[in-house]
């Protein structure tokens, strides 16, 4: 689904009764994601998010003091999601070829999500803000750290070399997945992810397993 195909962002959710604080926060984050993903940080307004959530601005400000606070909270959740999914992919099997495939699939599945959350992580228009840049870079850093451990344990390569290979794999996954989506490729997501996984495995699989 492209941005143009997304639901009308001017349509407010119906106002309901009081929600528990945790549920209200989750609702506000969901509405904020829709607005930020469609409009970007600079064009989005707290008014837009409040209307989208079906709440008053004072209610929104009770949970998030400002637009940057809201954006950072949403960005943290989005980054946590992809890092968690990467960790689960690595833990899903002891077969390294399948690990590579599962990890590549994480990134393709993430960018293909209709929520558009990947735009906050990989296409943020606020990376000049240190707190935002720190969150965005955390995806590469923490995913690479997870992969580094597997490479080092299996190949016996030094930590520095293992980390360089891990960063390369994460970069390959991110860039190829985003290109696949932006290019509106007719290649199905599963096949595209498998192609990149095959390329990655032909490279990393060439390092002998260390007993």
């Amino acid at each position: 689904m492209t941005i143009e195909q997304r639901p009308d962002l001017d349509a407010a959710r119906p106002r309901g009764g009081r929600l528990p604080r945790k549920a209200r926060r989750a609702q506000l984050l969901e509405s904020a994601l829709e607005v930020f993903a469609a409009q970007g940080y600079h064009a989005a307004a707290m008014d837009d998010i409040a209307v989208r959530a079906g709440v008053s601005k004072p209610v929104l400000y009770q949970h998030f003091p400002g637009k940057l606070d809201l954006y950072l909270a949403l960005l943290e959740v989005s980054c946590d999601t992809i890092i968690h999914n990467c960790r689960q992919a690595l833990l899903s099997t002891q077969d390294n070829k399948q690990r590579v495939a599962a990890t590549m699939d994480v990134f393709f599945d993430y960018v293909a999500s209709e929520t558009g959350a990947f735009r906050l992580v990989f296409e943020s228009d606020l990376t000049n803000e240190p707190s935002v840049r720190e969150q965005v870079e955390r995806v590469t850093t923490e995913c690479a750290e997870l992969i580094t451990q597997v490479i080092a344990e299996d190949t016996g390569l030094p930590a520095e070399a293992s980390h360089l290979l891990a960063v390369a794999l994460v970069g390959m996954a991110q860039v190829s997945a985003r290109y696949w989506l932006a290019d509106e490729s007719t290649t199905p997501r599963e096949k595209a992810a498998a192609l990149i996984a095959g390329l990655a495995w032909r490279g990393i699989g060439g390092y002998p397993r260390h007993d």
Side-chain angles (χ1 to χ4, degrees):
M1 178 185 292
T2 64
I3 293 178
E4 290 75 14
Q5 294 171 316
R6 291 177 64 82
D8 183 4
L9 293 178
D10 291 330
R13 286 186 172 83
R15 292 181 183 269
R18 291 178 61 85
L19 291 176
R21 185 171 182 83
K22 186 175 181 180
R24 177 66 76 192
R25 178 183 172 88
Q27 179 208 19
L28 295 174
L29 287 173
E30 179 183 354
S31 298
L33 174 57
E34 294 171 358
V35 175
F36 282 132
Q39 300 179 9
Y41 177 83
H42 294 293
M46 293 293 270
D47 283 325
D48 300 330
I49 296 167
V51 168
R52 184 64 184 160
V55 301
S56 64
K57 277 184 69 176
V59 169
L60 180 57
Y61 280 111
Q62 285 174 10
H63 291 264
F64 303 100
K67 185 167 72 166
L68 180 58
D69 301 280
L70 176 53
Y71 188 84
L72 286 170
L74 186 56
L75 184 59
E76 182 177 11
V77 171
S78 300
C79 292
D80 285 345
T81 296
I82 194 167
I83 293 166
H84 170 77
N85 291 345
C86 184
R87 180 182 292 107
Q88 293 304 112
L90 293 171
L91 293 173
S92 66
T93 178
Q94 293 297 311
D95 183 302
N96 284 331
K97 184 176 182 180
Q98 293 180 17
R99 274 176 169 159
V100 170
T103 303
M104 292 296 166
D105 196 60
V106 163
F107 286 88
F108 276 83
D109 188 57
Y110 187 71
V111 302
S113 170
E114 293 185 357
T115 66
F118 83 96
R119 298 185 187 281
L120 275 69
V121 181
F122 299 139
E123 297 180 3
S124 175
D125 57 351
L126 197 63
T127 51
N128 61 322
E129 169 63 43
S131 55
V132 171
R133 188 167 60 250
E134 179 182 353
Q135 284 291 332
V136 171
E137 291 175 351
R138 187 166 66 89
V139 171
T140 298
T141 300
E142 295 195 21
C143 287
E145 287 175 355
L146 294 170
I147 297 171
T148 296
Q149 295 174 18
V150 175
I151 294 175
E153 290 172 3
D154 284 357
T155 65
L157 287 170
E160 185 176 352
S162 297
H163 187 254
L164 182 59
L165 290 172
V167 171
L169 289 173
V170 173
M172 180 187 294
Q174 288 185 17
V175 173
S176 58
R178 290 167 56 198
Y179 176 81
W180 167 79
L181 185 70
D183 194 48
E184 298 182 352
S185 173
T186 57
T187 304
R189 181 190 62 77
E190 294 83 358
K191 185 175 182 180
L195 283 170
I196 303 304
L199 175 63
W201 176 246
R202 286 181 179 87
I204 197 66
Y207 290 90
R209 189 165 184 133
H210 173 72
D211 188 357

